[in-house]
């Protein structure tokens, strides 16, 4: 929130904010912000979703970021007005709202995990496999 000492300035900014909200409601344009794990949300560059351009679902958001992201999609974590609880874990069909924040969690394959295996992890894994 911003506080201004000048009443005229406050009225101008209030009208701009109300006008922006009206514009979003009338056009159906939703700006969704992304968040990387362990970092704050990036409010500088929203992903723009509309009903006319494929919808406002998590699936459409993933397609907008990269066409192959859906193949590795596990779930998404959402902060904002579109969910009952903040944060909330959702699937591809969840409808996003304006100013939601999304963090996409990708599934990691067993082969990928083995590629990053350290020698200590390898010894533990071999000992566990030997017990079976």
């Amino acid at each position: 929130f911003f506080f201004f000492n000048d009443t005229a300035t406050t009225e101008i900014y209030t009208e701009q904010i109300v006008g922006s909200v009206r514009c979003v409601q009338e056009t159906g344009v939703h700006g969704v912000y992304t968040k990387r794990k362990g970092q704050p949300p990036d409010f500088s560059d929203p992903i723009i979703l509309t009903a006319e351009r494929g919808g406002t679902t998590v699936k459409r958001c993933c397609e907008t970021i990269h066409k192959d992201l859906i193949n590795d999609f596990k779930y998404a974590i959402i902060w904002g007005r579109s969910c009952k609880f903040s944060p909330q874990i959702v699937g591809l069909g969840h409808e996003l709202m304006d100013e939601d924040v999304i963090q996409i969690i990708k599934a990691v394959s067993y082969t990928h995990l083995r590629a990053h295996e350290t020698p200590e992890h390898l010894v533990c894994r071999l000992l566990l496999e030997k017990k079976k």
Side-chain angles (χ1 to χ4, degrees):
F1 293 100
F2 298 98
F3 298 99
F4 302 99
N5 294 333
D6 184 9
T7 306
T9 305
T10 305
E11 289 176 5
I12 290 170
Y13 282 107
T14 303
E15 183 56 38
Q16 287 177 348
I17 292 169
V18 170
S20 296
V21 170
R22 247 187 253 122
C23 179
V24 168
Q25 289 173 345
E26 290 172 6
T27 60
V29 175
H30 298 296
V32 178
Y33 301 100
T34 57
K35 179 187 177 318
R36 292 181 183 266
K37 187 175 181 180
Q39 296 181 2
D42 179 15
F43 292 114
S44 64
D45 190 21
I47 297 171
I48 305 300
L49 303 172
T50 65
E52 293 81 28
R53 294 190 312 173
T56 59
T57 62
V58 171
K59 181 179 181 181
R60 180 65 186 137
C61 185
C62 290
E63 291 170 346
T64 303
I65 295 169
H66 194 277
K67 64 179 182 173
D68 293 332
L69 187 56
I70 293 188
N71 298 336
D72 298 330
F73 180 86
K74 188 173 183 181
Y75 59 88
I77 303 173
I78 305 293
W79 290 262
R81 297 183 303 139
S82 70
C83 51
K84 290 181 181 179
F85 311 103
S86 194
Q88 184 171 352
I89 296 174
V90 299
L92 289 171
H94 180 78
E95 290 285 337
L96 297 168
M97 295 181 78
D98 189 44
E99 297 186 353
D100 277 355
V101 175
I102 185 170
Q103 180 179 350
I104 298 168
I105 307 300
K106 296 177 7 177
V108 180
S109 69
Y110 182 69
T111 306
H112 178 80
L113 290 175
R114 297 230 359 230
H116 296 283
E117 195 170 52
T118 65
E120 293 82 17
H121 292 126
L122 178 61
V123 170
C124 290
R125 183 174 58 81
L126 292 175
L127 287 172
L128 288 172
E129 287 178 0
K130 188 176 180 181
K131 285 184 178 181
K132 292 180 183 180

